[in-house]
């Protein structure tokens, strides 16, 4: 019996040690979380509470805190926590939790962390240099905070880096040392100067966002040699010149936004090699000349923004080949000719059609009952159209929100079918020669 008792005691102790093991979070990880909590005013963090099922708020008063087993909000762990193997925190997401303060250097003790999201808070100071020692970290999102320079070396494993909308002034040359980067988001900071060779050592780069950063100079040619680059956003800077010829190699490019810069010359022919392109933004520049017929090659195009340039001549008939287009804006150019009705033959999915402030002339077309039944916004104002307004031009737009017909030479009465556009919030038809009563909307 004594032998049986010893066996029972031994079994109980073993079981107890096992339970303690699987329920123990490493002290250094608890300390890392506690340091972040203290340095960012954790007592006033906003918790999601019951909105996120099966989670609890952080609690350091417990003598044995268990972030993983107690499912602390924003904390995700590996799958070993219940198997007796090592239990580590792999993801920390505190987006919009009202963090105020700075990121502590000892956050690096969370050495198994793969994803760190601290976006949309009020985090100040710099990113700690200790971040480079987090050898598993691949995703770092710190956008919409108040971070300042300098950005440190991020380590060799980082792939996604997001610091959009902070108070950064210096272009982070150090990013060139993180060769595994695939996504770099730097928009809405106050950088100045040129792009130079900042990203020429990032061969895996797929997405680069540098909009609204006060950048000057031209687009460096090496960006066109990044063969996996799919999304390039350089909107609202002060960039000049033209698109480098190296962009003829960008066959995987899916979205390119160069809007609101100082680019000039004719329509960049390098774009015609981008057969995968879905989004093209060239608006708000100084482009001139005619729109090339070759634009019809871009059969995957969905968004086309060409407004606020100096394009002239006719809208190419080849655009009918771009059957996936659903947002079209060509306003504020010098385009001419008759109404580009081929754009009304693109199908049901067009939601924005904007050709205002050009030099189009002639009559408005009569439409079929299957034309543009998804249209939300149409702008043909400030042209020289001179016909009556066909009833079909409005009666087949059940979802229409805004109509701009003003400053033309349109005559006759406004169709009563306008009264059936129940979602319409704005109708502008002034400075024409309409007669009769105004429909009630």
């Amino acid at each position: 019996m004594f032998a049986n008792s010893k066996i029972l005691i031994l079994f109980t102790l073993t079981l107890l040690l096992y339970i303690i093991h699987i329920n123990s979070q490493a002290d250094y990880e608890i300390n890392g979380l506690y340091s972040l909590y203290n340095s960012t005013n954790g007592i006033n963090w906003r918790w999601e509470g019951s909105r996120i099922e099966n989670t609890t708020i952080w609690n350091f008063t417990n003598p044995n805190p268990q972030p993983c087993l107690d499912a602390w909000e924003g904390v995700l762990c590996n799958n070993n926590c219940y198997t007796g193997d090592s239990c580590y925190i792999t993801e920390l997401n505190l987006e919009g939790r009202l963090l105020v303060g700075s990121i502590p250097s000892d956050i690096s003790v969370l050495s198994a962390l793969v994803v760190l999201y601290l976006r949309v808070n009020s985090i100040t100071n710099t990113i700690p240099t200790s971040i480079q020692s987090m050898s598993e970290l691949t995703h770092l999102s710190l956008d919409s905070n108040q971070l300042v320079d300098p950005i440190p070396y991020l380590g060799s494993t980082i792939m996604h880096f997001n610091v959009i909308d902070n108070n950064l002034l210096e272009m982070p040359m150090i990013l060139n040392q993180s060769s595994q980067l695939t996504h770099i988001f730097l928009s809405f900071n106050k950088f100045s100067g040129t792009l130079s060779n900042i990203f020429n050592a990032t061969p895996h780069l797929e997405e680069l966002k540098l909009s609204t950063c006060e950048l000057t100079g031209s687009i460096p040619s090496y960006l066109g040699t990044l063969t996996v680059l799919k999304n390039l956003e350089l909107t609202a800077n002060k960039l000049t010149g033209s698109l480098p010829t190296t962009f003829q190699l960008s066959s995987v490019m899916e979205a390119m936004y160069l809007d609101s810069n100082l680019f000039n010359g004719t329509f960049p022919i390098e774009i015609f090699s981008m057969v995968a392109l879905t989004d093209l933004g060239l608006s708000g520049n100084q482009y001139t000349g005619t729109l090339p017929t070759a634009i019809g090659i871009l059969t995957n195009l969905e968004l086309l923004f060409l407004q606020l340039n100096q394009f002239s001549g006719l809208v190419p008939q080849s655009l009918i080949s771009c059957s996936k287009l659903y947002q079209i804006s060509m306003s504020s150019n010098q385009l001419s000719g008759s109404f580009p009705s081929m754009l009304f033959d693109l199908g049901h999915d067009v939601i924005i059609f904007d050709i205002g402030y050009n030099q189009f002339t002639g009559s408005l077309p009569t439409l079929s009952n299957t034309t543009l039944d998804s249209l939300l916004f149409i702008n043909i104002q400030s042209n020289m159209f001179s016909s009556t307004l066909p009833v079909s031009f409005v009666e087949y737009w059940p979802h229409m929100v805004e109509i701009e017909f003003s400053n033309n030479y349109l005559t006759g009465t406004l169709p009563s079918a306008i009264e059936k556009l129940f979602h319409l919030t704005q109708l502008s038809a002034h400075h024409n020669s309409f007669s009769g009563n105004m429909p009630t909307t």
Side-chain angles (χ1 to χ4, degrees), residues 349-421:
D349 296 328
V350 176
I351 61 174
I352 294 177
F353 184 85
D354 184 0
I355 59 169
Y357 296 96
N358 279 288
Q359 299 171 13
F360 293 111
T361 58
S363 303
L364 298 179
T366 299
L367 308 178
S368 71
N369 63 356
T370 59
T371 304
L372 301 182
D373 54 8
S374 296
L375 199 61
L376 302 178
F377 173 86
I378 183 169
N379 178 17
I380 64 169
Q381 68 180 313
S382 297
N383 281 285
M384 293 179 281
F385 295 119
S386 55
S387 67
T388 58
L389 185 61
V391 173
S392 63
F393 214 75
V394 294
E395 71 176 339
Y396 300 130
W397 299 340
H399 306 293
M400 181 62 68
V401 174
E402 184 173 347
I403 296 175
E404 300 285 350
F405 289 158
S406 60
N407 291 300
N408 281 284
Y409 301 102
L410 300 174
T411 59
T413 58
L414 286 171
S416 60
I418 291 176
E419 297 178 356
K420 297 181 181 179
L421 302 180

Side-chain angles (χ1 to χ4, degrees), residues 116-341:
L116 177 58
Y117 287 162
L118 302 179
R119 58 191 308 270
V120 195
N121 286 292
S122 297
I123 297 173
T124 56
N125 213 329
T126 60
I127 300 172
T129 57
S130 61
I131 208 91
Q132 64 187 269
S133 66
M134 301 174 73
S135 59
E136 301 296 324
L137 190 66
T138 62
H139 291 63
L140 179 59
S141 185
L142 304 172
D143 54 302
S144 300
N145 280 288
Q146 300 167 25
L147 293 167
V148 297
D149 301 306
I151 291 176
Y153 172 56
L154 300 174
S156 60
T157 59
I158 199 75
M159 297 173 64
H160 291 241
F161 180 57
N162 185 350
V163 286
I164 287 176
D165 191 17
N166 277 279
N167 295 327
L168 302 171
L169 301 176
E170 301 173 9
M171 282 297 292
M173 301 294 292
I174 198 74
L175 292 182
N176 219 2
Q177 297 182 24
S178 299
S179 60
Q180 297 304 311
L181 278 164
T182 60
H183 296 73
I184 302 176
F185 300 160
L186 304 173
S187 299
F188 295 98
N189 281 287
K190 298 185 173 91
F191 304 130
S192 58
T194 66
L195 285 170
S196 62
N197 294 323
I198 298 172
F199 308 108
N200 66 339
T202 52
H204 306 291
L205 193 61
E206 298 180 15
E207 195 166 7
L208 176 61
K209 295 184 179 183
L210 270 165
S211 295
T212 317
C213 287
E214 302 182 16
L215 297 174
T216 57
S218 58
I219 297 177
S221 59
Y222 73 82
L223 283 180
T225 66
L226 299 176
T227 55
V228 296
L229 188 63
K230 296 180 180 179
N231 186 353
L232 177 62
E233 297 185 15
L234 299 174
T235 297
N237 285 291
K238 300 175 183 177
L239 298 170
T240 58
S242 56
L243 196 63
T245 57
T246 52
F247 275 84
Q248 293 177 0
L249 305 173
S250 302
S251 59
V252 299
M253 186 75 74
E254 296 176 357
M256 185 165 67
Y257 293 97
L258 307 179
D259 311 82
S260 302
N261 279 284
L262 302 171
F263 297 120
N264 56 27
T266 57
F267 190 99
I269 60 173
E270 292 77 14
I271 290 174
F272 299 139
S273 299
M274 303 177 187
V275 292
L277 200 66
T278 61
D279 300 8
L280 177 59
L282 300 178
S283 66
N285 283 287
Q286 300 172 9
Y287 288 115
T288 59
T290 59
L291 298 177
T293 300
I295 198 170
I297 294 173
L298 304 176
T299 56
N300 289 304
L301 210 56
E302 298 177 1
L303 281 70
L304 179 60
F305 300 139
L306 303 177
Q307 68 270 25
L308 295 165
N309 280 288
Q310 299 171 40
F311 290 120
S312 58
L314 306 178
V315 176
Q317 186 71 29
S318 60
L319 266 176
I320 189 63
S321 300
C322 303
S323 58
K324 298 178 182 178
L325 270 174
Y326 68 90
Q327 293 191 39
I328 306 163
S329 184
M330 301 179 176
S331 62
S332 299
N333 280 284
Q334 299 168 23
L335 299 170
S336 58
S338 58
F339 188 95
S341 57

